[in-house]
Amino acid sequence: MNKDVIFPNHVGIILDGNGRWAEEKGLNRSMGHKKGYENLRKLSLYILNQTKVKYLSVFIFSTDNFKRSKEEVDFLMNLFRISFKSDSKVFEKENIKVIFSGVKDPLPDDVWSSMEYITEKTKNNTGGVLNFCLNYGGQEEIVDATKKILNEVINGNILLEDINKFNFSKYLYNDLPPIDFLIRTSGEERISNFMIYQASYAEFYFPSTYFPDFDENSFDEAIKVYNNRDRRFGSIKK
């Protein structure tokens, strides 16, 4: 890629289309999730090690996804349980720090244990940061942050007037920089409750490619689109 390319600091990806990818190939939807996770592992290493992106947040399971069939949910929970344990060695070796955004309940204990395991194994890594949004909802995150702030005010630790848009992020699940570029694969044009506070000034990109096929070349094409955007943040460029 051209050396003059500008890379976003924080990229968010909504991994959409795994199930449809499988169905169109005559496969069980779960096989699409397996293929999608394998692609995510490979793509995240490329993004955080081969480009200048420092933070990558990926939406892998929302709080609403528990509404899906028991078969599909059970497959995903097992995929997470196994993959986080085994991939801890990969991300530890590649110097990538893994964190999670979301809540514990009603995740199975063994899934939560795997999440804690990979977090602990990679906590001292100094390269890029991979943020898995699992059992996550953007509205829920804002509500939970508001409760934290309220408790801090009640306990006399902070003054209400001290809270502003610049320090509010400290009370979110993770204190991350704003999302610069948000990608949702599969052609769906909505963000579905994904990091709605962090994405307030993000550039959006909605490729029609299903996530299992969204590879390194697809990401490079997305970056070209990002470089053609005019980010003004409410001002006017002269």
Side-chain angles (χ1 to χ4, degrees), residues 11-153:
V11 171
I13 304 180
I14 301 174
L15 320 178
D16 199 17
N18 294 328
R20 279 169 286 167
W21 178 90
E23 289 172 341
E24 290 184 8
K25 295 180 180 299
L27 302 173
N28 184 285
R29 286 178 58 86
S30 295
M31 293 301 99
H33 295 308
K34 182 176 183 293
K35 181 68 174 178
Y37 184 85
E38 291 170 354
N39 183 52
L40 173 59
R41 182 195 301 115
K42 183 179 178 183
L43 184 62
S44 62
L45 293 176
Y46 173 73
I47 292 173
L48 293 172
N49 279 348
Q50 302 300 319
T51 79
K52 295 180 180 179
V53 174
K54 299 301 182 184
Y55 298 87
L56 175 63
S57 292
V58 293
F59 205 2
I60 61 174
F61 193 88
S62 79
T63 53
D64 292 323
N65 287 153
F66 278 106
K67 300 173 184 176
R68 297 188 176 186
S69 71
K70 185 178 184 303
E71 178 187 8
E72 188 169 347
V73 171
D74 286 349
F75 180 89
L76 283 165
M77 292 300 116
N78 192 52
L79 178 65
F80 298 150
R81 177 182 62 82
I82 295 172
S83 299
F84 295 149
K85 276 281 183 72
S86 61
D87 286 347
S88 62
K89 295 179 182 179
V90 176
F91 292 114
E92 188 176 12
K93 178 182 177 182
E94 296 294 334
N95 198 31
I96 292 173
K97 182 178 182 178
V98 175
I99 59 176
F100 289 88
S101 292
V103 295
K104 182 176 182 179
D105 188 54
L107 290 173
D109 289 341
D110 57 357
V111 173
W112 188 258
S113 176
S114 293
M115 293 162 63
E116 291 182 319
Y117 183 84
I118 192 172
T119 301
E120 177 66 23
K121 285 292 185 179
T122 64
K123 68 178 182 180
N124 295 321
N125 289 352
T126 57
V129 174
L130 175 57
N131 175 37
F132 286 108
C133 294
L134 197 166
N135 196 25
Y136 171 87
Q139 292 174 325
E140 291 84 348
E141 182 178 30
I142 292 172
V143 170
D144 287 344
T146 304
K147 291 178 180 177
K148 291 178 187 176
I149 292 170
L150 181 59
N151 281 328
E152 290 285 87
V153 172

Side-chain angles (χ1 to χ4, degrees), residues 155-169:
N155 293 326
N157 297 324
I158 57 172
L159 296 175
L160 188 60
E161 53 265 32
D162 291 337
I163 302 300
N164 55 54
K165 67 179 183 179
F166 301 107
N167 61 26
F168 185 85
S169 63

